[in-house]
Amino acid sequence: MLNLTPLKAFNDNYIWLIQNTQTFQCAVVDPGDAAPVLKWLAENPHWQLTDILITHHHKDHTGGVSALKQHSLARVVGPALENIPACDLAVQDNQTVELLGTEFTAMLVPGHTKGHIAYYWAGEQPFVLSGDTLFAAGCGRLFEGTAAQMYDSLQRLAQLPDHTLVYCTHEYTLSNLKFAAAVEPTNALIQQRLQQVIELRKQDLNTLPSNLAVEKETNPFLRCNSSELVQQVSSHLQKTLDKQDPIAVFTALRAWKDNF
Ligand code: ZN
Ligand code: FE
């Protein structure tokens, strides 16, 4: 019933288009630029844009909101704790959001920004729109929140069902996996995924969605309890980190990635 398609924007952003194939209503997520969405709507005139979902306030996620709203009268749904242009429905943690004839759940996942929201759909094939919080094989930078907040946010997302598909906003998977391979050199699943992603990117194909089962095996930011990871991060920092202190491990890991 719901169909997701990436519309490319800028260098490496994806604006996810969500279509309800029964009603011909659609929504877009994080339109940093209106142009790709307006182009799609012009080419697909039977479709009505009813909603614009925003995960956080950064310009590359919100830059197209005003133009799209003028064109379509779509409703803008965004995080209550952030300043979102033309926001019609400000959502809080755990709030149910009705759109496209179904229900999504807003999850407050601070870290990248203070009020970042992820949108979860618990239907027959569950998925989460994770914005700049959980990336394929990585996570967002800490611009406003603390490492502890981001760690908790990622743990919360990781508790969704294993087969939940992950739709994030950037094509960062290849560079994320190169880092993952440096952090856990003997993790065969990371090597396997890296090879798959190299092939996809050679053909300029997108690497999404991911799913939570794959992320738990290959995303270093969900693997702060891996002995090899803790040992590699410790030797990189030249400081002994304790596996029992995952937030310290996460903090060091995030700092290493920032300079990788
Ligand atoms: Zn961002
Ligand atoms: Fe972004």
Side-chain angles (χ1 to χ4, degrees), residues 49-52 68-76 88:
L49 181 70
T50 57
D51 290 277
I52 299 168
L68 283 180
K69 197 173 164 171
Q70 272 169 30
H71 174 270
S72 63
L73 306 173
R75 177 180 66 161
V76 178
D88 298 300

Side-chain angles (χ1 to χ4, degrees), residues 124-144:
E124 63 265 31
Q125 170 55 73
F127 64 86
V128 65
L129 302 158
S130 61
D132 284 0
T133 298
L134 176 61
F135 288 133
C139 76
R141 284 177 186 259
L142 304 176
F143 284 121
E144 297 172 10

